Amino acid sequence: MFNSLTSIFKQLIEGQDLSKNQVASPNLAIASLLCEVAGADHQIDESERVAKLQLIQRLLGLDEEQAKALLEQAEPKVEQSVSLYDYTSQLRELSQQVRIDLIKAMWEVAHADGEIDPIEDSVIRKTAELLYVDHSDFIKTKLNVIGKI
């Protein structure tokens, strides 16, 4: 993250356009959010990689090759991003149910390795707030994923 901030300051000093850091499409924003939560604890387990791929296929109706290509685009974006707002600002226009489904998918990625790290929880919580997902839906999706409902 520090490198990302340094990069932004350098771009500002040099007068470069900061808009190139923004994600280009809603699908890429969704894939980036799933990558963000998978890497939040700095340990991306193979089960999290598989979960990301399967969830992108399910959420976006893509085949495996399209989902892999989208993930290949998203992963570098996540490394360059300084804020979840880069992704969520494009997704607020989605229906409430789609936004809830995205939060549930983020929980599924976070729980794919059998536990939810507090940093992963924090990323999902902040994303839910930025997407205007009700706290009750945030909690319901979490409990549903971890098998408490």
Side-chain angles (χ1 to χ4, degrees):
M1 183 160 153
F2 180 73
N3 290 336
S4 296
L5 289 173
T6 304
S7 173
I8 286 177
F9 287 129
K10 184 177 177 184
Q11 288 174 358
L12 285 171
I13 290 169
E14 294 173 358
Q16 294 177 5
D17 184 11
L18 294 177
S19 64
K20 71 178 186 179
N21 286 336
Q22 293 186 347
V23 182
S25 74
N27 286 358
L28 186 55
I30 289 169
S32 297
L33 285 170
L34 295 180
C35 291
E36 184 75 41
V37 76
D41 61 357
H42 304 289
Q43 297 175 353
I44 301 177
D45 188 90
E46 183 59 30
S47 59
E48 290 174 324
R49 283 182 186 33
V50 170
K52 285 190 303 186
L53 183 64
Q54 291 174 346
L55 289 163
I56 287 172
Q57 289 176 270
R58 186 182 80 205
L59 285 172
L60 304 177
L62 302 176
D63 65 31
E64 186 174 350
E65 291 305 313
Q66 292 171 318
K68 283 181 181 179
L70 190 58
L71 281 172
E72 286 175 11
Q73 289 180 323
E75 288 167 355
K77 291 280 188 198
V78 170
E79 291 176 17
Q80 296 171 358
S81 176
V82 294
S83 170
L84 293 172
Y85 185 81
D86 292 347
Y87 319 119
T88 58
S89 62
Q90 299 174 52
L91 302 176
R92 290 187 184 138
E93 301 301 317
L94 298 174
S95 72
Q96 182 71 9
Q97 187 57 52
V98 171
R99 288 181 280 147
I100 291 168
D101 290 345
L102 173 58
I103 297 301
K104 182 178 181 195
M106 292 178 75
W107 283 123
E108 290 178 41
V109 169
H111 192 256
D113 61 1
E115 66 178 277
I116 297 174
D117 187 272
I119 298 171
E120 293 170 330
D121 186 291
S122 176
V123 167
I124 300 168
R125 181 180 306 275
K126 187 64 177 173
T127 301
E129 290 171 2
L130 289 169
L131 290 176
Y132 307 120
V133 172
D134 292 334
H135 186 70
S136 62
D137 291 323
F138 166 81
I139 295 297
K140 284 178 195 172
T141 56
K142 179 180 182 179
L143 293 176
N144 187 291
V145 167
I146 62 175
K148 302 270 182 168
I149 292 184

